Amino acid sequence: MSTRLIYFAWVRERIGKPQEDVELPAGIETVADLLRWLKSRGEEYEHALQYPDVIRVAINQEHVEHREKIAGAREIALFPPMTGG
């Protein structure tokens, strides 16, 4: 099953694409696993996700913690930290 990954703001700029559909490999069970796997996919991902702890994530449009399981996710969005104004 394919999962749509959507990238926002500077995460999108550094990766170089707004979204992609991926087949997640076996063993990718949590948001933290996903971020580690993405970092291994190339220099642009490594650059965008060099500080994974600051990346905010939503599964099916609901914000989640990095320990959250991703099984069954249709859409996973990655955001940089939000800044106040």
Side-chain angles (χ1 to χ4, degrees):
M1 181 177 97
S2 178
T3 301
R4 173 155 292 168
L5 302 180
I6 302 173
Y7 309 116
F8 289 91
W10 57 254
V11 176
R12 175 183 59 227
E13 292 166 14
R14 293 176 184 178
I15 289 175
K17 58 182 93 170
Q19 66 185 37
E20 63 183 318
D21 293 322
V22 298
E23 296 289 334
L24 297 175
I28 306 300
E29 297 180 0
T30 66
V31 168
D33 294 337
L34 172 67
L35 295 175
R36 273 192 298 278
W37 175 72
L38 284 172
K39 280 178 67 173
S40 74
R41 296 187 72 209
E43 189 176 308
E44 63 276 17
Y45 293 92
E46 175 71 33
H47 180 59
L49 304 172
Q50 64 186 4
Y51 302 109
D53 293 345
V54 304
I55 300 296
R56 298 185 56 183
V57 178
I59 295 177
N60 301 329
Q61 301 182 0
E62 183 175 323
H63 285 273
V64 298
E65 300 294 326
H66 286 194
R67 65 181 176 273
E68 187 76 25
K69 300 279 188 188
I70 60 174
R74 295 178 313 282
E75 176 185 284
I76 301 175
L78 280 65
F79 305 83
M82 303 298 175
T83 57

